[in-house]
Structures are given as structure tokens and as C-alpha cells.
């Protein structure tokens, strides 16, 4: 699929897929969306001494970078295990053109950003002390075959239901739920009624939250027994 880099309203960039007429991130602001959905309404609500994060999917790597940035603001003795799945990796040219590392004060962020994309697939890497990163070059539906520890936090960041409706239906949410421990949090930019109902059927406590810029609402869902 042909992709091109586009500027979003907060000055950060995103990838646009011509064939699908779909952005990887909100055109209202890629950086703002990642921070609001996955950090402010995700990591900050679940931060603990040790946390296992699952992201669907890796894409541009922006969600990992905002997670590293938040990690560096906290006690460095904390431990994050970050797992992510991506079937169609971005290329070196796209990574350079997106330039997400320039949005952070951390001087090593360029190095981390490069390593996230260059490191070997299906192998755990310690990107920085106590931040362990594993990316899987798989289809989302292969999640059930992956040996993962019990997940504390899920970043559900699939393409929108308009272009990939199957990723917002019960079978994939069931696979994700099976990987989560009791009390684990799933956060997503989506606010679709069908998604809320599916999560409730799977015994999640669902809460509508204020959405990122340009979107009225989003979803937080906590797994119950």
C-alpha cells in the first residue's frame, strides 16, 4: 500500500494510506492524540513498579516514544515490558521523515527511535535500562499464539472500523482479553457503541472519557472477572 507523510494540526506528522484514505494518527494532531489516549488515559492510570504493555499495532512507533518519555519522567527503577504487533512495518525513509524524536527533550530519543525500528523482530531488546521491547511481525489474529506475560495495559490503536471493521469485532477483542489480567486497562481512541457493547459482553467495565483534540469521546475499559 502506498503511504505518504502528512503534517497534522499540532505540527507533528503522520502517515497517510492513499488506497484506504486513512491516516495512521489523527489529522488534528498525532502527538496530542498519542499523549492523550495512551499516556494520560492509559499509562498514568496504571503506572506501577513493573508493568506489561501490549500495543496493537506498532505502526510509526509514536506510542512507544511517548511511553519512553513518560517512563523517563518517573523512577528509573521501574520496569516496563512493552509488546507490540505489526504486519506492515514502516521503512527507514518514513521514520526519518516523520522525525518524532525532535518533539522530545530527551537527547537520546533519536537513538531510541532508530533502535525501535531497526531492532530484530520477535526478540526482546532492552532499549534503555529497565525498558524491554518486543515487536512481533505478525497479523493481529496471531495474538492467540504468542506467549506473553499477563498484560496490565493495552493500547488498542488499530486502523479505524471504516477501513478494517474486523479489527473492531468480538473475535479480536476476545483474544486481547485472554492476554489481560484481572483489573487490566484497555484504552482506545474509539468511542463506537458497538465496541462498548462488545467489551461489556466480555465483562469489562467500560467508561467513556473525553477524547483527544477533534474527537468528543474515547473509551477506557477495565477487565473484570
Amino acid at each position: 500500500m502506498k503511504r505518504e507523510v502528512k503534517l497534522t494540526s499540532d505540527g507533528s506528522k503522520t502517515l497517510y494510506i492513499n488506497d484506504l484514505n486513512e491516516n495512521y494518527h489523527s489529522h488534528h494532531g498525532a502527538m496530542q492524540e498519542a499523549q492523550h489516549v495512551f499516556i494520560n488515559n492509559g499509562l498514568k492510570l496504571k503506572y506501577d513498579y513493573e508493568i506489561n504493555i501490549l500495543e496493537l499495532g506498532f505502526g510509526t512507533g509514536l506510542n512507544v516514544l511517548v511511553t519512553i518519555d513518560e517512563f523517563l519522567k518517573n523512577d528509573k527503577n521501574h520496569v516496563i515490558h512493552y509488546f507490540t504487533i505489526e504486519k506492515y512495518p514502516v521503512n527507514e525513509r518514513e521514520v526519518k521523515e516523520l522525525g518524532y524524536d525532535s518533539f522530545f527533550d530527551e537527547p537520546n530519543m533519536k537513538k531510541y527511535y532508530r533502535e525501535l525500528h531497526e531492532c530484530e523482530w520477535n526478540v526482546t531488546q532492552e532499549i534503555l535500562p529497565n525498558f524491554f521491547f518486543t515487536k512481533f511481525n505478525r497479523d493481529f489474529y496471531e495474538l492467540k499464539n504468542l506467549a506473553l506475560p499477563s498484560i496490565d495495559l493495552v493500547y488498542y490503536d488499530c486502523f479505524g472500523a471504516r477501513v478494517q471493521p474486523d479489527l473492531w469485532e468480538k473475535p479480536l477483542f476476545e483474544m486481547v482479553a485472554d492476554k489481560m489480567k484481572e483489573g487490566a486497562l484497555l484504552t482506545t481512541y474509539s468511542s463506537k457503541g458497538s465496541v462498548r457493547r462488545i467489551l461489556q459482553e466480555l465483562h469489562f467495565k467500560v467508561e467513556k472519557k473525553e477524547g483527544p483534540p477533534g474527537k468528543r469521546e474515547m473509551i477506557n475499559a477495565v477487565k473484570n472477572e
Side-chain angles (χ1 to χ4, degrees):
M1 292 183 290
K2 184 179 178 181
R3 298 181 295 224
E4 61 181 283
V5 175
K6 285 195 170 185
L7 189 67
T8 71
S9 295
D10 67 358
S12 61
K13 297 175 182 178
T14 189
L15 289 176
Y16 172 75
I17 302 175
N18 293 270
D19 293 343
L20 300 178
N21 186 28
E22 180 79 352
N23 289 318
Y24 274 60
H25 308 285
S26 170
H27 68 273
H28 293 284
M31 190 66 64
Q32 290 178 353
E33 179 186 46
Q35 182 70 37
H36 180 86
V37 176
F38 302 110
I39 303 304
N40 297 346
N41 288 287
L43 184 59
K44 286 185 177 181
L45 303 181
K46 291 298 293 181
Y47 212 97
D48 204 346
Y49 169 71
E50 187 164 5
I51 184 171
N52 298 322
I53 300 173
L54 171 64
E55 179 194 21
L56 287 79
F58 177 51
T60 65
L62 178 56
N63 293 337
V64 191
L65 287 189
V66 293
T67 301
I68 289 174
D69 185 58
E70 185 64 24
F71 170 77
L72 291 171
K73 294 174 183 176
N74 287 275
D75 186 344
K76 306 302 187 300
N77 292 321
H78 290 194
V79 180
I80 289 182
H81 302 272
Y82 196 110
F83 305 90
T84 186
I85 304 173
E86 179 59 53
K87 189 175 182 179
Y88 302 105
V90 302
N91 60 48
E92 183 179 356
R93 177 192 61 79
E94 291 166 332
V95 171
K96 289 181 178 178
E97 195 170 346
L98 287 166
Y100 289 139
D101 53 277
S102 65
F103 284 83
F104 302 92
D105 294 331
E106 167 58 43
N108 290 318
M109 198 62 87
K110 185 174 183 177
K111 172 178 176 288
Y112 302 149
Y113 190 35
R114 186 182 68 250
E115 289 180 356
L116 292 172
H117 287 279
E118 293 180 353
C119 70
E120 187 175 353
W121 292 90
N122 311 311
V123 175
T124 299
Q125 311 275 346
E126 192 171 9
I127 298 297
L128 63 157
N130 292 336
F131 192 100
F132 298 90
F133 177 72
T134 314
K135 60 180 182 180
F136 299 98
N137 188 201
R138 309 281 181 85
D139 186 273
F140 290 150
Y141 283 94
E142 296 181 71
L143 174 62
K144 61 184 177 183
N145 300 320
L146 297 181
L148 301 177
S150 294
I151 298 298
D152 302 286
L153 175 62
V154 173
Y155 295 170
Y156 204 94
D157 197 23
C158 307
F159 283 137
R162 179 183 62 82
V163 296
Q164 289 193 306
D166 59 308
L167 302 183
W168 300 91
E169 295 174 355
K170 194 171 184 178
L172 184 55
F173 279 111
E174 285 182 312
M175 292 181 203
V176 173
D178 285 344
K179 299 296 184 180
M180 298 170 68
K181 65 177 62 170
E182 182 183 0
L185 172 65
L186 182 150
T187 184
T188 180
Y189 66 85
S190 176
S191 61
K192 284 175 63 67
S194 59
V195 172
R196 295 199 301 270
R197 289 188 290 274
I198 288 168
L199 290 168
Q200 287 167 344
E201 289 173 14
L202 295 173
H203 308 292
F204 281 80
K205 180 182 178 182
V206 180
E207 181 182 4
K208 289 191 290 186
K209 310 277 284 188
E210 180 183 353
K215 191 169 180 60
R216 188 165 62 89
E217 295 176 338
M218 56 166 283
I219 290 175
N220 267 188
V222 175
K223 182 182 176 181
N224 297 317
E225 282 290 344

